[in-house]
């Protein structure tokens, strides 16, 4: 019995490790990527493929979608190294962020911010 429980736990952990770092929810902009808390994810026009231009105070307002220990890139999801050495998720090469002024799941108040440089991330 103990062996069966341990095997089941390993399968569960392996399944969790393979899950996408974000899911899709419907917002006023249609299908939108959201984090585990249901908060809208955004992309930034000033980022280049695989590199974040949002550091320091910018990252305080636009928290990066951080990579949890043990997670690995898969499919359209990649891991980029931030300026401070931490790991951030990117979707189709675009680093992902949340916006501190979004108060609840479904909010998209950051869309179009900074003269249109911020956009809801869509699959």
């Amino acid at each position: 019995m103990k062996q069966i429980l341990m095997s089941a736990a390993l399968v569960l952990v392996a399944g969790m490790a393979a899950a996408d770092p974000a899911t899709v929810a419907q917002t006023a902009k249609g299908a939108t990527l959201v984090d585990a808390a249901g908060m809208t994810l955004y992309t930034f026009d000033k980022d280049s493929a695989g590199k974040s231009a949002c550091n320091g105070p910018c990252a305080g307002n636009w928290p990066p979608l951080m990579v949890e220990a043990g997670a690995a890139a898969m499919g359209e999801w990649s891991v980029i190294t931030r300026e401070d050495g931490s790991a951030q998720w990117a979707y189709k090469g675009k680093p992902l962020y949340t916006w501190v002024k979004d108060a609840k799941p479904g909010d998209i108040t950051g869309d179009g911010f900074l003269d249109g440089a911020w956009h809801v991330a869509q699959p």
Side-chain angles (χ1 to χ4, degrees), residues 104-115:
K104 63 187 181 317
D107 283 355
I108 57 168
T109 64
D111 191 53
F113 191 79
L114 195 60
D115 295 324

Side-chain angles (χ1 to χ4, degrees), residues 1-119:
M1 180 69 163
K2 186 176 181 181
Q3 184 76 12
I4 293 171
L5 289 175
M6 287 177 61
S7 295
L10 288 174
V11 169
L12 180 61
V13 170
M16 290 189 313
D20 287 345
T23 58
V24 177
Q26 290 298 314
T27 68
K29 289 282 187 168
T32 302
L33 294 176
V34 298
D35 69 7
M39 301 305 287
T40 300
L41 293 169
Y42 297 87
T43 60
F44 186 37
D45 286 345
K46 294 185 180 186
D47 289 343
S48 56
K51 183 160 176 53
S52 172
C54 182
N55 296 287
C58 176
N61 289 318
W62 297 91
L65 181 62
M66 303 306 290
V67 177
E68 293 184 19
M74 69 203 111
E76 300 286 356
W77 299 97
S78 57
V79 176
I80 66 161
T81 302
R82 295 184 49 75
E83 190 176 80
D84 65 4
S86 62
Q88 177 180 1
W89 283 112
Y91 182 72
K92 296 182 179 180
K94 296 179 179 183
L96 296 170
Y97 310 84
T98 56
W99 169 231
V100 295
K101 293 191 178 181
D102 281 349
K104 63 187 181 317
D107 283 355
I108 57 168
T109 64
D111 191 53
F113 191 79
L114 195 60
D115 295 324
W118 290 94
H119 310 276

